[in-house]
Amino acid sequence: MEHGVAHEAFDAGEARYELVVSVDARRSGQYNDAEKPRMRQRIYRVLESALAQAGVVRDAVHMEDRGDGVLMSVPGRIAVSRLLGLWMVEVHENLREENGSLLVPLGLRVAMHVGPVRHDSRGISGRAVDLTCRLADSSVARELLDREQADLVLAVSDSLYADVVQAGGKFIDPARFAPARLALKEGAVTAWFHLPGRPAPDTGALGPEEPGDGGVAGTGGVPAGVSAGAGGAAGAGGAAVSADPPPGAVDGGDPDSEAHEDDEDGDASVRYAAQGDLSVHQHNVYQQPVHIGRVTGAGPRKD
């Protein structure tokens, strides 16, 4: 016992590579004060029962309460594939069983990533924790859960997909995951999304949000950073791309608006006068046909 205590004290604050899991409830703000305790009980019942069903000892898993969800970390001695595979299957089945008697079903957004985690007396921290929480809270995860009327959506980091998911395994089918490019506060990242029990979701059909708000930066083959005018710039895959307008782009709402921009050599000026929508695109590489501008009328769109 004394050896174990000394070992834990020595390790305090040191980074350990662990699986981080973030679980958030859908629209938790819509639960009133009387309903929230029951919602929280359901979340813990679903997650902890699934740990037992997957053969993962509860005491081996660090678990923090987040009010409307749970933050977990799993030590490296427990196979990540067990959590990605069997545990997720059991979580989904337990959630379906819980929802069978509910008028308003409980929806969960789950995210996973492996990285260095630091433990202290109050919980865990590190970039791996931050990224995992961002993925669970991303607009893609939220929209998939609503659009598909699903009970559960899983988001995994690009590195976790490459290291574990892509190889497949029991209850892990990489063909059922779809990528999406996210513009997070820390920068653009790729994540992979999965709806248990369903084919790979169509992440290309999701609408854009402003970068920095956890929104999708596009997956339809158009590189992130392409500026979209009021009509949007949509690739063949249907994914709209949104970004801050480049210097020189002006709001078409003011017919007298003008802007100036130095050219690429920095020794000349370009002048724009906008009578309507204006979108400036320079030095872009388009991987698929792209429509730039507003689509009007009922006729077919021409790329």
Side-chain angles (χ1 to χ4, degrees):
M1 277 304 279
E2 291 180 0
H3 175 73
V5 173
H7 177 72
E8 288 299 319
F10 179 79
D11 283 349
E14 293 186 350
R16 315 171 193 175
Y17 270 79
E18 298 184 343
L19 173 67
V20 183
V21 183
S22 177
V23 182
D24 285 340
R26 171 173 49 198
R27 292 193 176 90
S28 60
Q30 295 184 0
Y31 290 86
N32 62 38
D33 286 352
E35 295 168 336
K36 281 189 176 181
R38 291 192 290 271
M39 178 264 288
R40 287 161 46 80
Q41 289 173 0
R42 293 186 186 103
I43 293 175
Y44 279 97
R45 190 159 53 236
V46 165
L47 300 181
E48 293 181 336
S49 295
L51 287 175
Q53 291 157 347
V56 178
V57 178
R58 168 64 183 85
D59 290 344
V61 177
H62 171 81
M63 190 175 288
E64 291 181 28
D65 183 73
R66 290 301 177 99
D68 59 351
V70 178
L71 178 63
M72 303 165 53
S73 67
V74 183
R77 66 178 182 272
I78 299 175
V80 173
S81 57
R82 180 173 297 190
L83 277 295
L84 266 171
L86 181 56
W87 183 71
M88 282 304 305
V89 169
E90 298 295 352
V91 168
H92 185 223
E93 290 301 316
N94 292 345
L95 186 57
R96 290 180 59 197
E97 184 176 351
E98 289 283 342
N99 285 338
S101 59
L102 299 179
L103 293 177
V104 179
L106 173 64
L108 296 180
R109 303 186 308 273
V110 180
M112 295 187 185
H113 172 59
V114 172
V117 177
R118 283 179 165 80
H119 291 252
D120 58 33
S121 61
R122 293 176 175 82
I124 58 175
S125 63
R127 287 188 175 183
V129 177
D130 296 341
L131 174 58
T132 308
C133 293
R134 296 273 193 262
L135 297 185
D137 195 45
S138 68
S139 64
V140 175
R142 292 174 179 274
E143 290 182 41
L144 280 176
L145 204 60
D146 289 342
R147 188 191 70 187
E148 301 298 328
Q149 297 182 336
D151 298 307
L152 178 66
V153 60
L154 169 65
V156 302
S157 65
D158 195 39
S159 59
L160 183 55
Y161 178 86
D163 293 342
V164 181
V165 176
Q166 197 166 33
K170 192 171 184 180
F171 304 117
I172 302 175
D173 183 359
R176 292 177 179 263
F177 287 73
R181 192 72 175 162
L182 308 179
L184 306 182
K185 293 180 179 179
E186 295 81 3
V189 301
T190 296
W192 294 77
F193 294 85
H194 170 58
L195 298 172
R198 305 192 188 193
D202 181 9
T203 54
L206 298 174
E209 286 188 2
E210 288 298 319
D213 293 333
V216 60
T219 59
V222 184
V226 178
S227 172
V241 179
S242 175
D244 292 334
V250 298
D251 185 354
D254 182 358
D256 296 324
S257 296
E258 296 180 352
H260 296 79
E261 179 186 359
D262 289 340
D263 69 359
E264 60 183 351
D265 296 324
D267 59 1
S269 179
V270 180
R271 184 186 183 99
Y272 303 99
Q275 297 282 334
D277 296 332
L278 175 64
S279 180
V280 178
H281 303 263
Q282 295 178 335
H283 318 302
N284 294 313
V285 177
Y286 300 99
Q287 299 175 356
Q288 297 184 28
V290 174
H291 172 82
I292 306 295
R294 185 189 298 254
V295 179
T296 61
R301 192 181 84 182
K302 297 180 180 179
D303 291 327

